[in-house]
Structures are given as structure tokens and as C-alpha cells.
Amino acid sequence: MAYYYSRLDFFCHLCGTMLIVPSSEYAQCSLCKTLQDIQDIRDKEISYTITAEEIRRELGMEIIEEQKVQLSKVNKKCEKCGHDEANFYTRQMRSADEGQTTFYTCTRCGNQSQEN
């Protein structure tokens, strides 16, 4: 996913900071206060692309990969075939102050169910 951004500003030729346009007469560098005639940038446009990866990197975010879970067995009757054994695992699906969700899979027919 990419985000597109365009505006009628350019960068300061002295320090590279993006110019702002405080009046209809000139553009100004917010860092070094250099002025540029508005006629030099009128009707011109810059655009750039920011990717989702760049946003994550800038914010210091990492992609959390799905971890493999170790399944445990429990005596639980299958609603579909009546078998008395199922594999299960738990995950925190809601906020931390609420209980975990338990997921069950019948060891005979593979029917899946869950309990909140």
C-alpha cells in the first residue's frame, strides 16, 4: 500500500527544508528564513510516495509473525461426531482484562469449535 501526497511547496535551496507559503508574494524557509519569490514556484507541484514499510520503519514498528502453537489434548466431546478427545490452544483475542478464547479441534473428524 502506498500513500500519495502533493502540495505547492518546494525545498529551500540553502538548507533543504520544505518551504512554506505564508503570503501570496513569497515562500519562506521555516528554518533559515530564506525568502523565495512566489513566481518561482507558482503552478508547480511536487509529489512523493510513502510506503507502509517506510511508515513502520519511521515509527519503529515491527511486523509480528504468527507463531506456531503447541497443541494440547483434552477430554472434550465433539459436537459433530461425539468423539471424546480434542486438541486445544488459547489466544488473547480481546482486551487484556478479558479472558482468553480457547479453540478446540476434534482429533477424529477435525471439527473446530471455540469457547470465550
Side-chain angles (χ1 to χ4, degrees):
M1 176 187 322
Y3 299 91
Y4 298 95
Y5 184 80
S6 300
R7 61 190 290 170
L8 283 169
D9 297 23
F10 278 111
F11 298 92
C12 175
H13 64 279
L14 294 178
C15 70
T17 302
M18 186 175 275
L19 300 173
I20 58 173
V21 184
S23 81
S24 60
E25 302 294 319
Y26 63 90
Q28 181 178 23
C29 175
S30 59
L31 183 64
C32 70
K33 307 303 181 202
T34 301
L35 299 179
Q36 185 171 341
D37 188 342
I38 198 71
Q39 297 302 322
D40 295 342
I41 62 172
R42 182 170 302 220
D43 299 327
K44 294 181 181 175
E45 183 177 285
I46 60 169
S47 64
Y48 52 92
T49 302
I50 301 172
T51 65
E53 176 60 33
E54 291 169 324
I55 293 170
R56 281 193 295 275
R57 185 174 41 250
E58 186 68 26
L59 296 175
M61 298 170 63
E62 295 179 22
I63 296 176
I64 300 173
E65 295 183 25
E66 286 289 323
Q67 297 177 0
K68 294 190 181 215
V69 291
Q70 178 145 1
L71 300 177
S72 300
K73 291 191 191 294
V74 67
N75 291 331
K76 179 169 175 62
K77 190 170 190 169
C78 177
E79 299 166 354
K80 185 176 178 183
C81 73
H83 186 62
D84 286 328
E85 186 178 73
N87 291 322
F88 78 97
Y89 66 95
T90 60
R91 290 192 80 178
Q92 188 68 39
M93 303 298 287
R94 299 178 303 275
S95 62
D97 63 341
E98 296 184 35
Q100 293 183 335
T101 302
T102 304
F103 297 89
Y104 298 97
T105 304
C106 176
T107 57
R108 178 185 289 163
C109 72
N111 182 50
Q112 297 180 341
S113 62
Q114 69 184 45
E115 288 180 3
N116 292 323

